Amino acid sequence: MVGDLPRRLVAEAIGTMLLVLFGAGSVVAALVFGNGQLNYAGLGFIALSFAVIVAIVIYAFGTTSGAHINPAVTIALATGRRFPWREVPSYIAAQLAGAFAGGLLIVGGFGRRAIDPGGVGLTRLGEGVNYAQGILLEALGTFLLLLTIMAMAVDRRAPPGWAGLMIGLAVAGEIFVLGPSTNGSVNPARTFGPYLANSLFGGDTPWTQIGVYIAGPLIGAVLAVVVYDVVVQPARGLPEPEIPAAGEPQDEAVREELAGRVPGARAPQDDQIRDRVTHGRRRWRPGGRR
């Protein structure tokens, strides 16, 4: 991650706002134009909308803030010592504020229809689903999400450039499965923002279920990080530069440039040299600080 804390917080707030606006907003659109009814095909389009906006936010803000856009992700990365605990409260505050702003924008765009029948795209337990089942399902969905984040964005052995797409698809996958039961939140901020906006405008909000959408994601996220660290044992340090074979003109030039430097000194062209030696393998890390 790059950028000072205020700029990173703005990135988190904007990213979470976009997630709610175009993710939860797709739920409102489906309900409005489906006359309050939502079938499994409609759920598929909602899942696609979430996948696209998650990928876009990651590619747009990943190098600035890590694009957590989810308190469960932030807490899990801090638990795995990949994010400083001192910044966790400010990150979560930015995410919740952004989610609420996204909910307000949904209401602004759809008007009263965002509340009835849209409910600002809020999440609630499906018929016949109890609290324990809801927590279990949300934990499993978030486990999948964090497993994907660890494999595609945190682990330095991951192929570059694929993180946003694969994480977005993981979100879509969990919505396909969890949608009928819990609406597939896997994100406390995604639930909180629409809840607060819906309540503010007099909508029926199931606040008694908020615990499901906090406990489930936190349990699943932390468990995924622990399991990944224990089972996969990801590479944590910077990758060793690949020293090219002797005799290649371009590689010899790089060697000469490196050899002519004073040990420990830093020159403006350091980043360019490193890019050439490591073949440009740079990508964002959601937990860039340890």
Side-chain angles (χ1 to χ4, degrees):
M1 294 180 296
V2 296
D4 51 32
L5 182 59
R7 187 153 60 91
R8 288 188 280 126
L9 295 180
V10 170
E12 282 295 301
I14 294 175
T16 315
M17 178 197 71
L18 293 173
L19 171 68
V20 171
L21 176 59
F22 291 100
S26 69
V27 178
V28 174
L31 289 171
V32 167
F33 294 103
N35 296 318
Q37 301 298 316
L38 180 64
N39 56 25
Y40 198 68
L43 182 65
F45 284 105
I46 291 170
L48 177 61
S49 181
F50 269 99
V52 170
I53 192 58
V54 166
I56 289 173
V57 168
I58 287 174
Y59 289 128
F61 300 115
T63 54
T64 300
S65 69
H68 297 187
I69 60 174
N70 184 338
V73 173
T74 301
I75 291 174
L77 291 175
T79 301
R81 296 180 299 169
R82 292 178 174 85
F83 188 76
W85 277 106
R86 66 180 180 277
E87 294 183 2
V88 168
S90 54
Y91 256 58
I92 293 177
Q95 292 156 1
L96 295 179
F100 178 51
L104 293 179
L105 289 174
I106 292 174
V107 176
F110 286 91
R112 190 63 197 176
R113 296 179 301 172
I115 308 300
D116 184 17
V120 197
L122 58 75
T123 56
R124 66 172 74 237
L125 296 178
E127 185 177 354
V129 179
N130 60 39
Y131 271 57
Q133 291 172 321
I135 291 174
L136 174 62
L137 290 171
E138 284 291 308
L140 291 173
T142 317
F143 184 91
L144 172 66
L145 172 62
L146 262 294
L147 202 65
T148 308
I149 291 173
M150 294 295 291
M152 300 304 300
V154 175
D155 195 329
R156 296 184 181 276
R157 298 170 296 189
W162 287 92
L165 175 62
M166 298 310 297
I167 294 169
L169 289 176
V171 172
E174 61 84 12
I175 291 176
F176 278 126
V177 177
L178 274 59
S181 301
T182 67
N183 300 149
S185 173
V186 303
N187 184 339
R190 179 263 181 270
T191 291
F192 173 80
Y195 268 38
L196 188 56
N198 194 56
S199 295
L200 183 64
F201 290 94
D204 179 24
T205 307
W207 281 105
T208 56
Q209 298 179 9
I210 190 70
V212 171
Y213 299 101
I214 295 175
L218 290 179
I219 293 170
V222 172
L223 184 61
V225 171
V226 172
V227 168
Y228 195 87
D229 277 345
V230 172
V231 176
V232 182
Q233 297 181 344
R236 284 175 173 262
L238 287 172
E240 291 294 328
E242 294 179 3
I243 303 300
E248 299 180 15
Q250 182 178 355
D251 297 334
E252 291 295 339
V254 173
R255 279 201 190 87
E256 290 174 6
E257 194 169 3
L258 288 171
R261 296 253 308 281
V262 177
R266 180 172 180 81
Q269 67 270 28
D270 279 0
D271 290 339
Q272 298 175 6
I273 296 172
R274 179 178 173 181
D275 272 350
R276 289 163 61 188
V277 173
T278 61
H279 303 286
R281 289 195 307 275
R282 285 187 170 189
R283 57 188 182 275
W284 68 277
R285 304 289 177 190
R289 296 186 176 186
R290 290 182 54 197

